[in-house]
Structure formats: structure tokens, C-alpha cells
Amino acid sequence: KDLAVMRAIDWLDVQTRDVVISTLVYTQDVEIFTSVSIRFRVDSAGNVDGRHNMTSYTDITRHRQFVFVAMLITTSVCALLSSVATARDMVRGMKCKRGPQMYELLASLTLFAYSLVLLISSLKQVPMGEEYDDLLHTTLEFKGTGVIEWEALSQQYFDAMALVWDEMQWLLRHRIVTYVVLYVQFLQLLFFFDCHPRLALVTSTINRSLDQMFHLFVLFVLMFLILAFMASWMLGGDVHAFASFGEAMASQAKMLFGEWIYADNADDLHGGMVAMYWCYAISFMLVLFFTILNFFLAIVVEAFKANDEIGSDTIEQN
């Protein structure tokens, strides 16, 4: 943002790690503003890695803004009423589980608070169209020829781009927070399944099999980590998928979903390395892919059958 400082160091120096080239693209008629950035990063070995990023933004104007505000107000009111009703039930001491009730209260209050924050912050935001006009007019309305005028123009341009960047970051922060709030509501929906005997099969099955799944998960994690370390230790120098311990774990996660079992450059292995690779691959396939995953399915099916029998007996008694 401070061009004088950047010019003093000639824009780049030996301590520069990132160089970003960015601009703003406007799509007419659909009113979409896209921030395009290309980041060049210099690592400790002197390699330059280039990556691009595009973030699109659409202004909420006219009738869409009215609908957006109305929905946020409706959400806030409903969340507040839900919080009051839940708090009233807790004070009266109704026969309900305290844990789900506390979670419902916190989820409702979270939704109420975030709806208000989003409403207030969105109304304070300058429309992207106005910021784009400011960015465009800094160049179109330039009439100077001297060095001072060009420096002032550059400073105005970067100030306008800084405002656009701040709004993009605001949008990204709210996307992340909105995802968290939606996930909280998703978990609350799972708790609501307990209200109906048939729908409660989901939560009751999880509760019944939780102990066995926990012990199976501990066993799975230990074997997963050991196999990943073995693969990176022995095969990391020859197979790119196991070049490091982290990459080995990521590759094994893909193998669990059946994406692949034969690494791309495994054909380049020779001699004893081929035997080492297939010893690892067969162990992973038999122990983790077939045995552990089928144990997990067996635990879930057994718990589901037990809960289904209990539910059927309850319905017959009623």
C-alpha cells in the first residue's frame, strides 16, 4: 500500500518471498466482478512456484438485496424465538436430555448472532460496482504528465485495489463462518432425529456402536500411520506418492476410497524394491482396505439390527 517504501527497495530485494500480480475483471450484464491474482513464491532453494487464484463477487442490488435482508431478519427472529423456547423448557425442567437442549440453545443463539452480524456488515459494505468505477476512473481521468502526477495515480490505483482486496477478504471470512454455522445446524438436525422412533434409528445406531467404533478407529489409525511411515521410509525416494510422510498419508487416504492401488511410477522400481512395494501394497489392501473397512460396516449393521428389533418390539407393544 505504501508505494514510497516499495520504490525505496526497488520493489524486490533478497528477502522477497512472494510477488503477486492482480487485477479485477468485470463481466457485463451478469454483474460479476472477478479478482484474478497470480502469486509467485520463492522457496528456500530458490525455486519459483507460480499459482493463480480467481475469486468472483456478485453485488446484491435492488430486489435481491431486499430479499436478502428480509431473509436475514426472518432467520434472526426465528432463531431468537427458538432460543427463548428452549431456555423456557430448560427453566421449567421438562423431561428432556440436558446435553441436546444445551446444544440446541447454543446453536440457536449462534444463528441469531451471526445473522445480525452478517446483516449489519453487509449493509456497511460499499457495492463492488462503485469500487470498480473508482478503480477505472483513476486511470481514465488521468491528465498529468509529470512524475509526481504518475506517482499520485499509482497511489490512487493501489488504494482502490486495497479496498477491493479488503472486500474480497471480508467475503472469504464470511464464507468460512457461514460454513461453520451451517455445520452446527446440521448437527442440530441430527439431534432432532430423536423426536421420532424411526428417525431415531440413525442416532441410536451411532450411540450403540460408538464404543466399538472408537476402539476400531484407534487400531485403524495406528496401522495407517505405521504403513505410511514404512512407505515413505522405503519407497519415498523412488515413488512420488510416498515422497514424504505427509504425502504417504494423503496417498493412503486416496487408496482407501479406491482411487488407485498401483502408484504411477511404480513401474520404475527394480529388483528388491518391487518386492518391497508389493509387500506394502498387499498389506495395505488386506489389512486396511478389506478387513478394517468391513469390520466398520459389520459394527454399524449389527447396531442397526439391534435397534431395529427394539423399535419393532416397541411398535408392536403400542
Side-chain angles (χ1 to χ4, degrees), residues 128-212:
M128 184 64 72
E130 296 182 11
E131 295 184 356
Y132 183 78
D133 288 338
D134 294 339
L135 186 65
L136 192 62
H137 288 306
T138 54
T139 304
L140 296 179
E141 296 179 356
F142 177 70
K143 298 179 181 179
T145 57
V147 177
I148 298 177
E149 288 82 359
W150 277 106
E151 290 183 353
L153 172 64
S154 301
Q155 188 64 58
Q156 290 177 5
Y157 178 83
F158 277 98
D159 290 341
M161 280 298 297
L163 293 176
V164 173
W165 175 258
D166 291 339
E167 188 155 351
M168 289 295 180
Q169 293 302 307
W170 171 86
L171 177 63
L172 178 61
R173 288 193 298 269
H174 278 283
R175 286 176 59 189
I176 296 174
V177 177
T178 301
Y179 176 83
V180 174
V181 173
L182 289 175
Y183 196 82
V184 170
Q185 303 305 314
F186 168 73
L187 294 179
Q188 185 180 358
L189 179 63
L190 294 180
F191 287 129
F192 284 164
F193 286 166
D194 284 333
C195 299
H196 191 277
R198 285 298 182 185
L199 295 179
L201 280 175
V202 177
T203 54
S204 59
T205 299
I206 296 176
N207 291 331
R208 182 179 290 272
S209 60
L210 197 59
D211 181 67
Q212 290 180 319

Coordinates of all heavy atoms in Angstrom, one line a residue, residues 128-212:
M128 N -19.5 -3.4 -5.0 CA -18.3 -3.6 -5.8 C -18.4 -2.8 -7.1 O -17.3 -2.4 -7.6 CB -18.2 -5.1 -6.1 CG -17.0 -5.5 -6.9 SD -15.5 -5.2 -5.9 CE -15.6 -6.5 -4.7
G129 N -19.6 -2.5 -7.6 CA -19.6 -1.7 -8.8 C -19.0 -0.3 -8.6 O -18.4 0.3 -9.4
E130 N -19.3 0.3 -7.4 CA -18.7 1.6 -7.1 C -17.2 1.6 -7.0 O -16.5 2.4 -7.4 CB -19.3 2.2 -5.8 CG -20.8 2.5 -5.9 CD -21.4 3.1 -4.7 OE1 -20.6 3.4 -3.8 OE2 -22.6 3.1 -4.5
E131 N -16.7 0.5 -6.3 CA -15.3 0.4 -6.2 C -14.6 0.1 -7.5 O -13.5 0.6 -7.8 CB -15.0 -0.8 -5.2 CG -15.4 -0.5 -3.8 CD -15.0 -1.6 -2.8 OE1 -14.4 -2.6 -3.3 OE2 -15.3 -1.5 -1.6
Y132 N -15.3 -0.6 -8.4 CA -14.7 -0.9 -9.7 C -14.7 0.4 -10.5 O -13.7 0.7 -11.3 CB -15.6 -1.9 -10.4 CG -15.1 -2.3 -11.8 CD1 -14.0 -3.1 -12.0 CD2 -15.6 -1.7 -13.0 CE1 -13.5 -3.4 -13.2 CE2 -15.2 -2.0 -14.2 CZ -14.1 -2.9 -14.4 OH -13.6 -3.2 -15.6
D133 N -15.7 1.3 -10.4 CA -15.7 2.6 -11.1 C -14.6 3.5 -10.6 O -13.9 4.1 -11.4 CB -17.1 3.3 -10.8 CG -18.2 2.6 -11.6 OD1 -17.9 1.9 -12.6 OD2 -19.4 2.8 -11.2
D134 N -14.4 3.5 -9.3 CA -13.3 4.2 -8.7 C -11.9 3.8 -9.3 O -11.0 4.6 -9.6 CB -13.3 4.2 -7.2 CG -14.5 4.9 -6.6 OD1 -15.1 5.7 -7.3 OD2 -14.8 4.5 -5.4
L135 N -11.8 2.4 -9.3 CA -10.6 1.9 -9.9 C -10.4 2.2 -11.3 O -9.2 2.5 -11.8 CB -10.6 0.3 -9.7 CG -9.3 -0.5 -10.0 CD1 -8.2 -0.1 -9.1 CD2 -9.6 -1.9 -10.0
L136 N -11.5 2.2 -12.1 CA -11.4 2.5 -13.5 C -11.1 4.0 -13.8 O -10.3 4.4 -14.6 CB -12.7 2.1 -14.2 CG -12.7 2.0 -15.7 CD1 -11.7 1.0 -16.2 CD2 -14.1 1.7 -16.2
H137 N -11.8 4.9 -13.0 CA -11.6 6.3 -13.2 C -10.3 6.8 -12.8 O -9.9 7.9 -13.2 CB -12.7 7.1 -12.5 CG -14.1 6.9 -13.2 ND1 -14.3 7.1 -14.5 CD2 -15.3 6.5 -12.7 CE1 -15.6 6.9 -14.8 NE2 -16.2 6.5 -13.7
T138 N -9.6 6.1 -11.9 CA -8.2 6.6 -11.5 C -7.3 6.6 -12.7 O -6.4 7.4 -12.8 CB -7.6 5.7 -10.5 OG1 -7.6 4.3 -10.9 CG2 -8.4 5.8 -9.2
T139 N -7.6 5.8 -13.7 CA -6.8 5.7 -14.9 C -7.4 6.6 -16.1 O -6.7 7.3 -16.7 CB -6.6 4.3 -15.4 OG1 -6.0 3.5 -14.4 CG2 -5.7 4.2 -16.6
L140 N -8.7 6.5 -16.2 CA -9.3 7.2 -17.4 C -9.3 8.7 -17.2 O -9.2 9.4 -18.2 CB -10.8 6.7 -17.5 CG -11.0 5.2 -17.9 CD1 -12.4 4.8 -18.0 CD2 -10.2 4.9 -19.2
E141 N -9.4 9.2 -16.0 CA -9.4 10.6 -15.8 C -8.1 11.2 -15.5 O -8.0 12.4 -15.1 CB -10.4 10.9 -14.6 CG -11.8 10.5 -14.8 CD -12.7 10.8 -13.6 OE1 -12.2 11.2 -12.6 OE2 -13.9 10.5 -13.7
F142 N -7.0 10.4 -15.7 CA -5.7 11.0 -15.5 C -5.3 11.9 -16.7 O -5.4 11.6 -17.8 CB -4.7 9.8 -15.4 CG -3.3 10.3 -15.3 CD1 -2.8 10.9 -14.1 CD2 -2.3 10.1 -16.3 CE1 -1.5 11.3 -13.9 CE2 -1.0 10.5 -16.2 CZ -0.6 11.1 -15.0
K143 N -4.8 13.1 -16.3 CA -4.4 14.1 -17.3 C -3.0 14.7 -17.1 O -2.6 15.6 -17.8 CB -5.4 15.3 -17.3 CG -6.9 14.8 -17.6 CD -7.8 16.0 -17.6 CE -9.2 15.5 -17.9 NZ -10.2 16.7 -17.8
G144 N -2.3 14.2 -16.1 CA -1.0 14.7 -15.8 C 0.1 14.1 -16.7 O -0.2 13.0 -17.4
T145 N 1.2 14.6 -16.7 CA 2.4 14.1 -17.5 C 3.6 14.0 -16.7 O 4.6 13.4 -17.1 CB 2.6 15.0 -18.7 OG1 2.9 16.4 -18.3 CG2 1.4 15.0 -19.7
G146 N 3.7 14.6 -15.5 CA 4.9 14.6 -14.7 C 5.0 13.4 -13.8 O 4.1 12.6 -13.7
V147 N 6.2 13.3 -13.2 CA 6.5 12.2 -12.4 C 5.6 12.2 -11.1 O 5.1 11.2 -10.7 CB 8.0 12.2 -12.0 CG1 8.3 11.0 -11.0 CG2 8.9 12.1 -13.2
I148 N 5.4 13.4 -10.6 CA 4.6 13.5 -9.4 C 3.1 13.0 -9.7 O 2.5 12.3 -8.8 CB 4.6 14.9 -8.9 CG1 6.0 15.3 -8.5 CG2 3.6 15.1 -7.7 CD1 6.1 16.8 -8.0
E149 N 2.6 13.4 -10.8 CA 1.2 13.0 -11.2 C 1.1 11.5 -11.3 O 0.2 10.9 -10.9 CB 0.8 13.7 -12.4 CG 0.5 15.2 -12.3 CD 1.7 16.0 -12.4 OE1 2.8 15.4 -12.5 OE2 1.6 17.3 -12.3
W150 N 2.2 10.9 -12.0 CA 2.2 9.5 -12.1 C 2.3 8.7 -10.8 O 1.6 7.7 -10.6 CB 3.3 9.1 -13.1 CG 3.0 9.2 -14.5 CD1 3.5 10.1 -15.4 CD2 2.2 8.3 -15.3 NE1 3.0 10.0 -16.6 CE2 2.2 8.9 -16.6 CE3 1.4 7.2 -15.0 CZ2 1.5 8.3 -17.6 CZ3 0.7 6.6 -16.0 CH2 0.7 7.2 -17.3
E151 N 3.1 9.3 -9.9 CA 3.1 8.6 -8.6 C 1.8 8.7 -7.8 O 1.4 7.8 -7.2 CB 4.3 9.3 -7.8 CG 5.7 9.0 -8.3 CD 6.7 9.6 -7.4 OE1 6.4 10.4 -6.5 OE2 7.9 9.3 -7.7
A152 N 1.2 9.9 -8.0 CA -0.2 10.1 -7.3 C -1.2 9.1 -7.9 O -2.0 8.5 -7.2 CB -0.6 11.5 -7.5
L153 N -1.1 8.9 -9.3 CA -2.0 8.0 -10.0 C -1.8 6.6 -9.5 O -2.7 5.8 -9.2 CB -1.8 8.1 -11.5 CG -2.5 7.0 -12.3 CD1 -4.0 7.2 -12.2 CD2 -2.1 7.1 -13.8
S154 N -0.5 6.2 -9.4 CA -0.2 4.8 -8.9 C -0.7 4.6 -7.5 O -1.3 3.6 -7.1 CB 1.3 4.6 -8.9 OG 1.8 4.8 -10.2
Q155 N -0.5 5.6 -6.6 CA -1.0 5.5 -5.2 C -2.5 5.4 -5.2 O -3.1 4.6 -4.4 CB -0.6 6.7 -4.4 CG -0.9 6.6 -2.9 CD -0.1 5.4 -2.3 OE1 1.1 5.4 -2.3 NE2 -0.8 4.5 -1.7
Q156 N -3.3 6.2 -6.0 CA -4.7 6.1 -6.0 C -5.2 4.7 -6.5 O -6.1 4.1 -6.0 CB -5.3 7.2 -6.9 CG -5.1 8.6 -6.4 CD -5.6 9.6 -7.3 OE1 -6.2 9.3 -8.4 NE2 -5.5 10.9 -7.0
Y157 N -4.5 4.2 -7.5 CA -4.8 2.9 -8.1 C -4.7 1.8 -7.0 O -5.5 1.0 -6.8 CB -4.0 2.6 -9.3 CG -4.2 1.2 -9.9 CD1 -5.3 1.0 -10.7 CD2 -3.4 0.1 -9.5 CE1 -5.5 -0.3 -11.3 CE2 -3.7 -1.1 -10.1 CZ -4.7 -1.3 -10.9 OH -5.0 -2.6 -11.5
F158 N -3.5 1.8 -6.3 CA -3.3 0.8 -5.3 C -4.2 1.0 -4.1 O -4.6 0.0 -3.5 CB -1.8 0.8 -4.9 CG -0.9 0.1 -5.8 CD1 -0.2 0.7 -6.7 CD2 -0.8 -1.3 -5.7 CE1 0.7 0.1 -7.6 CE2 0.1 -2.0 -6.5 CZ 0.8 -1.3 -7.5
D159 N -4.6 2.2 -3.8 CA -5.6 2.4 -2.7 C -6.9 1.8 -3.1 O -7.6 1.2 -2.3 CB -5.7 3.9 -2.4 CG -4.5 4.5 -1.8 OD1 -3.7 3.7 -1.2 OD2 -4.3 5.7 -1.8
A160 N -7.3 2.0 -4.4 CA -8.6 1.4 -4.8 C -8.5 -0.1 -4.8 O -9.5 -0.8 -4.4 CB -9.0 1.9 -6.2
M161 N -7.4 -0.7 -5.3 CA -7.2 -2.1 -5.2 C -7.2 -2.7 -3.8 O -7.7 -3.8 -3.6 CB -5.9 -2.5 -6.0 CG -6.0 -2.5 -7.5 SD -7.2 -3.7 -8.1 CE -6.5 -5.3 -7.6
A162 N -6.7 -1.9 -2.9 CA -6.7 -2.3 -1.5 C -8.1 -2.4 -0.9 O -8.4 -3.4 -0.2 CB -5.9 -1.4 -0.6
L163 N -9.0 -1.5 -1.3 CA -10.4 -1.6 -0.9 C -11.0 -2.8 -1.5 O -11.8 -3.5 -0.8 CB -11.1 -0.3 -1.3 CG -10.7 1.0 -0.6 CD1 -11.4 2.2 -1.2 CD2 -10.9 0.9 0.9
V164 N -10.8 -3.1 -2.8 CA -11.3 -4.3 -3.4 C -10.8 -5.5 -2.7 O -11.6 -6.5 -2.4 CB -11.0 -4.3 -4.9 CG1 -11.4 -5.6 -5.6 CG2 -11.6 -3.1 -5.6
W165 N -9.5 -5.6 -2.4 CA -8.9 -6.7 -1.7 C -9.6 -6.9 -0.3 O -9.8 -8.1 0.1 CB -7.4 -6.5 -1.6 CG -6.7 -7.6 -0.8 CD1 -6.3 -7.5 0.5 CD2 -6.4 -8.9 -1.2 NE1 -5.7 -8.7 0.9 CE2 -5.8 -9.6 -0.2 CE3 -6.6 -9.6 -2.4 CZ2 -5.4 -10.9 -0.2 CZ3 -6.2 -10.9 -2.5 CH2 -5.6 -11.6 -1.4
D166 N -9.8 -5.8 0.4 CA -10.4 -5.9 1.7 C -11.8 -6.5 1.6 O -12.2 -7.3 2.5 CB -10.5 -4.6 2.4 CG -9.1 -4.1 2.8 OD1 -8.2 -4.9 2.9 OD2 -8.9 -2.8 2.9
E167 N -12.5 -6.1 0.6 CA -13.9 -6.7 0.4 C -13.9 -8.1 0.1 O -14.7 -8.9 0.5 CB -14.7 -5.9 -0.6 CG -16.1 -6.2 -0.7 CD -17.0 -5.1 -1.2 OE1 -16.5 -4.0 -1.4 OE2 -18.2 -5.3 -1.5
M168 N -12.9 -8.5 -0.7 CA -12.8 -9.9 -1.1 C -12.4 -10.8 0.2 O -12.9 -11.9 0.4 CB -11.7 -10.1 -2.1 CG -12.1 -9.6 -3.5 SD -13.4 -10.6 -4.2 CE -13.6 -9.7 -5.8
Q169 N -11.6 -10.2 1.0 CA -11.2 -10.9 2.3 C -12.4 -11.0 3.2 O -12.6 -12.0 3.9 CB -10.1 -10.2 3.0 CG -8.8 -10.3 2.2 CD -8.3 -11.7 1.9 OE1 -8.3 -12.6 2.9 NE2 -8.1 -12.1 0.7
W170 N -13.2 -9.9 3.2 CA -14.5 -9.9 4.0 C -15.4 -11.0 3.5 O -16.0 -11.8 4.3 CB -15.2 -8.6 3.9 CG -16.5 -8.5 4.5 CD1 -16.9 -8.3 5.8 CD2 -17.8 -8.7 3.8 NE1 -18.2 -8.3 5.9 CE2 -18.8 -8.6 4.7 CE3 -18.1 -9.0 2.5 CZ2 -20.2 -8.7 4.4 CZ3 -19.4 -9.2 2.1 CH2 -20.5 -9.0 3.1
L171 N -15.5 -11.2 2.2 CA -16.3 -12.2 1.6 C -15.8 -13.6 2.0 O -16.6 -14.5 2.4 CB -16.4 -12.1 0.1 CG -17.2 -13.1 -0.7 CD1 -18.7 -13.1 -0.2 CD2 -17.0 -12.9 -2.2
L172 N -14.5 -13.8 2.0 CA -13.9 -15.1 2.3 C -14.1 -15.4 3.7 O -14.5 -16.6 4.1 CB -12.4 -15.1 2.0 CG -11.6 -16.4 2.3 CD1 -12.2 -17.5 1.5 CD2 -10.2 -16.2 2.0
R173 N -14.0 -14.5 4.6 CA -14.2 -14.7 6.1 C -15.6 -15.2 6.3 O -15.9 -16.1 7.1 CB -13.9 -13.5 6.9 CG -12.4 -13.2 7.0 CD -12.1 -12.1 8.1 NE -12.8 -10.9 7.8 CZ -12.2 -9.9 7.1 NH1 -11.0 -10.0 6.6 NH2 -12.9 -8.8 6.9
H174 N -16.6 -14.5 5.7 CA -18.0 -14.9 5.9 C -18.3 -16.2 5.3 O -19.2 -16.9 5.8 CB -18.9 -13.7 5.4 CG -19.1 -12.6 6.4 ND1 -19.9 -12.7 7.5 CD2 -18.5 -11.4 6.4 CE1 -19.8 -11.5 8.1 NE2 -19.0 -10.7 7.5
R175 N -17.7 -16.5 4.2 CA -17.9 -17.9 3.7 C -17.5 -19.0 4.6 O -18.2 -20.0 4.8 CB -17.1 -18.0 2.4 CG -17.7 -17.3 1.2 CD -16.9 -17.4 -0.1 NE -16.7 -18.8 -0.5 CZ -15.9 -19.2 -1.4 NH1 -15.1 -18.3 -2.0 NH2 -15.8 -20.4 -1.7
I176 N -16.4 -18.7 5.3 CA -15.9 -19.7 6.3 C -16.8 -19.8 7.5 O -17.2 -20.9 7.9 CB -14.4 -19.4 6.7 CG1 -13.5 -19.5 5.5 CG2 -14.0 -20.3 7.8 CD1 -12.1 -19.0 5.8
V177 N -17.2 -18.6 8.0 CA -18.0 -18.6 9.2 C -19.4 -19.2 8.9 O -20.0 -19.9 9.7 CB -18.2 -17.2 9.7 CG1 -19.1 -17.1 10.9 CG2 -16.8 -16.6 10.2
T178 N -19.9 -18.9 7.7 CA -21.2 -19.4 7.3 C -21.2 -21.0 7.2 O -22.1 -21.6 7.6 CB -21.6 -18.9 5.9 OG1 -21.7 -17.4 6.0 CG2 -23.0 -19.4 5.5
Y179 N -20.0 -21.5 6.7 CA -19.9 -22.9 6.6 C -19.9 -23.5 8.0 O -20.6 -24.6 8.3 CB -18.6 -23.3 6.0 CG -18.3 -24.7 5.9 CD1 -18.8 -25.6 5.0 CD2 -17.4 -25.3 6.9 CE1 -18.5 -26.9 4.9 CE2 -17.1 -26.7 6.9 CZ -17.7 -27.5 5.9 OH -17.4 -28.8 5.9
V180 N -19.3 -22.9 9.0 CA -19.3 -23.4 10.4 C -20.7 -23.4 11.0 O -21.1 -24.3 11.6 CB -18.3 -22.6 11.3 CG1 -18.4 -23.0 12.7 CG2 -16.9 -22.8 10.7
V181 N -21.4 -22.2 10.8 CA -22.7 -22.1 11.3 C -23.7 -23.2 10.7 O -24.5 -23.8 11.4 CB -23.3 -20.7 11.0 CG1 -24.8 -20.6 11.4 CG2 -22.5 -19.7 11.8
L182 N -23.5 -23.4 9.4 CA -24.3 -24.4 8.7 C -24.0 -25.8 9.3 O -24.9 -26.7 9.4 CB -24.1 -24.4 7.2 CG -24.7 -23.2 6.5 CD1 -24.3 -23.2 5.0 CD2 -26.2 -23.2 6.6
Y183 N -22.8 -26.1 9.6 CA -22.4 -27.4 10.1 C -23.0 -27.5 11.5 O -23.4 -28.6 11.9 CB -20.9 -27.5 10.2 CG -20.4 -28.9 10.4 CD1 -20.4 -29.8 9.3 CD2 -20.1 -29.4 11.7 CE1 -19.9 -31.1 9.5 CE2 -19.7 -30.7 11.8 CZ -19.6 -31.6 10.8 OH -19.2 -32.9 10.9
V184 N -23.0 -26.5 12.3 CA -23.7 -26.5 13.6 C -25.1 -26.8 13.5 O -25.7 -27.7 14.2 CB -23.5 -25.2 14.3 CG1 -24.3 -25.1 15.6 CG2 -22.0 -25.0 14.7
Q185 N -25.8 -26.2 12.5 CA -27.2 -26.5 12.3 C -27.4 -28.0 11.8 O -28.4 -28.6 12.1 CB -27.8 -25.6 11.2 CG -27.7 -24.1 11.6 CD -28.3 -23.8 13.0 OE1 -29.4 -24.2 13.3 NE2 -27.5 -23.1 13.8
F186 N -26.5 -28.5 11.0 CA -26.5 -29.9 10.5 C -26.5 -30.8 11.7 O -27.3 -31.8 11.8 CB -25.4 -30.1 9.6 CG -25.2 -31.6 9.2 CD1 -26.1 -32.3 8.4 CD2 -24.1 -32.3 9.8 CE1 -25.9 -33.6 8.1 CE2 -23.9 -33.6 9.5 CZ -24.8 -34.3 8.7
L187 N -25.6 -30.6 12.7 CA -25.5 -31.4 13.9 C -26.8 -31.3 14.7 O -27.3 -32.3 15.3 CB -24.3 -31.1 14.7 CG -22.9 -31.3 14.1 CD1 -21.8 -30.9 15.0 CD2 -22.8 -32.8 13.7
Q188 N -27.4 -30.1 14.8 CA -28.6 -30.0 15.5 C -29.7 -30.8 14.8 O -30.6 -31.3 15.5 CB -29.0 -28.5 15.5 CG -30.3 -28.2 16.4 CD -30.6 -26.7 16.4 OE1 -29.9 -25.9 15.8 NE2 -31.7 -26.4 17.1
L189 N -29.7 -30.8 13.5 CA -30.7 -31.7 12.8 C -30.6 -33.1 13.2 O -31.6 -33.8 13.3 CB -30.6 -31.5 11.3 CG -31.5 -32.3 10.4 CD1 -33.0 -31.8 10.6 CD2 -31.2 -32.1 8.9
L190 N -29.4 -33.6 13.4 CA -29.2 -35.0 13.8 C -29.8 -35.2 15.2 O -30.4 -36.3 15.4 CB -27.7 -35.3 13.8 CG -27.0 -35.4 12.4 CD1 -25.6 -35.7 12.5 CD2 -27.7 -36.3 11.4
F191 N -29.6 -34.2 16.1 CA -30.2 -34.4 17.4 C -31.8 -34.4 17.3 O -32.4 -35.1 18.1 CB -29.8 -33.3 18.3 CG -28.4 -33.4 18.7 CD1 -27.5 -32.3 18.6 CD2 -27.9 -34.6 19.3 CE1 -26.2 -32.4 19.0 CE2 -26.6 -34.7 19.7 CZ -25.7 -33.6 19.6
F192 N -32.3 -33.7 16.4 CA -33.8 -33.7 16.2 C -34.3 -35.0 15.8 O -35.5 -35.2 15.9 CB -34.2 -32.6 15.2 CG -34.1 -31.2 15.8 CD1 -34.1 -30.1 14.9 CD2 -34.1 -31.0 17.1 CE1 -34.1 -28.8 15.4 CE2 -34.0 -29.7 17.6 CZ -34.0 -28.6 16.8
F193 N -33.5 -35.9 15.2 CA -34.0 -37.2 14.8 C -34.5 -38.0 15.9 O -35.3 -39.0 15.7 CB -32.9 -38.0 14.1 CG -32.6 -37.4 12.7 CD1 -31.4 -37.8 12.0 CD2 -33.4 -36.6 12.0 CE1 -31.1 -37.3 10.8 CE2 -33.1 -36.1 10.8 CZ -32.0 -36.5 10.1
D194 N -34.1 -37.7 17.1 CA -34.5 -38.4 18.3 C -36.0 -38.2 18.6 O -36.6 -39.0 19.4 CB -33.7 -38.0 19.6 CG -32.3 -38.6 19.5 OD1 -32.2 -39.7 18.9 OD2 -31.4 -38.1 20.1
C195 N -36.6 -37.3 18.0 CA -38.0 -37.0 18.2 C -39.0 -38.0 17.6 O -40.1 -38.1 18.1 CB -38.4 -35.6 17.7 SG -37.4 -34.2 18.4
H196 N -38.5 -38.8 16.7 CA -39.3 -39.8 16.0 C -38.7 -41.1 16.2 O -37.5 -41.3 16.0 CB -39.5 -39.4 14.6 CG -40.6 -40.2 13.9 ND1 -40.4 -41.5 13.4 CD2 -41.9 -39.9 13.7 CE1 -41.5 -42.0 12.8 NE2 -42.4 -41.0 13.0
P197 N -39.5 -42.2 16.5 CA -38.9 -43.5 16.8 C -38.1 -44.1 15.6 O -37.0 -44.6 15.7 CB -40.1 -44.4 17.1 CG -41.1 -43.5 17.6 CD -40.9 -42.2 16.8
R198 N -38.6 -43.9 14.4 CA -38.0 -44.4 13.2 C -36.8 -43.6 12.8 O -35.7 -44.1 12.5 CB -39.0 -44.4 12.0 CG -40.0 -45.6 12.1 CD -39.3 -46.9 12.1 NE -40.2 -48.0 12.2 CZ -39.9 -49.3 12.2 NH1 -38.6 -49.6 12.3 NH2 -40.8 -50.3 12.3
L199 N -36.9 -42.3 12.9 CA -35.8 -41.4 12.5 C -34.7 -41.5 13.6 O -33.5 -41.3 13.3 CB -36.2 -39.9 12.4 CG -37.2 -39.6 11.3 CD1 -37.6 -38.2 11.3 CD2 -36.5 -40.0 9.9
A200 N -35.0 -41.9 14.8 CA -34.0 -42.0 15.9 C -33.1 -43.2 15.6 O -32.1 -43.4 16.4 CB -34.7 -42.2 17.2
L201 N -33.4 -44.1 14.6 CA -32.5 -45.2 14.3 C -31.1 -44.7 14.0 O -30.1 -45.4 14.3 CB -33.1 -46.0 13.2 CG -34.2 -47.0 13.5 CD1 -34.7 -47.6 12.3 CD2 -33.7 -48.1 14.5
V202 N -31.0 -43.5 13.4 CA -29.7 -43.0 13.0 C -28.9 -42.7 14.2 O -27.7 -43.2 14.3 CB -29.9 -41.8 12.1 CG1 -28.5 -41.2 11.7 CG2 -30.7 -42.1 10.8
T203 N -29.4 -41.9 15.1 CA -28.6 -41.5 16.3 C -28.4 -42.7 17.2 O -27.4 -42.8 17.9 CB -29.3 -40.3 17.0 OG1 -30.6 -40.7 17.3 CG2 -29.3 -39.1 16.1
S204 N -29.5 -43.5 17.4 CA -29.3 -44.6 18.3 C -28.3 -45.6 17.8 O -27.6 -46.3 18.6 CB -30.7 -45.2 18.5 OG -31.2 -45.7 17.3
T205 N -28.3 -45.8 16.5 CA -27.3 -46.7 15.9 C -25.9 -46.2 16.2 O -25.0 -47.0 16.6 CB -27.5 -46.9 14.4 OG1 -28.8 -47.4 14.2 CG2 -26.5 -47.8 13.8
I206 N -25.7 -44.9 16.0 CA -24.3 -44.4 16.3 C -24.0 -44.5 17.8 O -22.8 -44.9 18.1 CB -24.3 -42.9 15.9 CG1 -24.5 -42.8 14.3 CG2 -23.0 -42.2 16.3 CD1 -24.6 -41.4 13.8
N207 N -24.9 -44.2 18.7 CA -24.7 -44.3 20.1 C -24.4 -45.8 20.5 O -23.5 -46.0 21.3 CB -25.9 -43.8 20.9 CG -26.1 -42.3 20.7 OD1 -25.1 -41.6 20.5 ND2 -27.3 -41.8 20.8
R208 N -25.1 -46.7 19.9 CA -24.9 -48.1 20.3 C -23.5 -48.6 19.8 O -22.9 -49.4 20.5 CB -26.0 -49.0 19.8 CG -25.9 -50.5 20.1 CD -27.1 -51.2 19.6 NE -28.3 -50.8 20.2 CZ -28.8 -51.4 21.4 NH1 -28.1 -52.4 21.9 NH2 -29.9 -51.1 21.9
S209 N -23.1 -48.2 18.7 CA -21.8 -48.7 18.1 C -20.6 -47.8 18.4 O -19.5 -48.1 17.9 CB -22.0 -48.8 16.6 OG -22.3 -47.6 16.0
L210 N -20.8 -46.7 19.2 CA -19.8 -45.8 19.4 C -18.6 -46.4 20.1 O -17.4 -46.1 19.7 CB -20.3 -44.6 20.2 CG -19.5 -43.3 20.2 CD1 -19.3 -42.8 18.7 CD2 -20.1 -42.2 21.1
D211 N -18.8 -47.2 21.1 CA -17.6 -47.8 21.8 C -16.8 -48.7 20.9 O -15.6 -48.6 20.9 CB -18.2 -48.6 23.0 CG -17.1 -49.2 23.8 OD1 -16.3 -48.5 24.4 OD2 -17.0 -50.5 23.8
Q212 N -17.5 -49.6 20.1 CA -16.7 -50.5 19.3 C -16.0 -49.7 18.1 O -14.9 -50.0 17.7 CB -17.7 -51.5 18.7 CG -18.2 -52.5 19.7 CD -19.1 -53.5 19.0 OE1 -20.0 -53.2 18.2 NE2 -18.9 -54.8 19.4

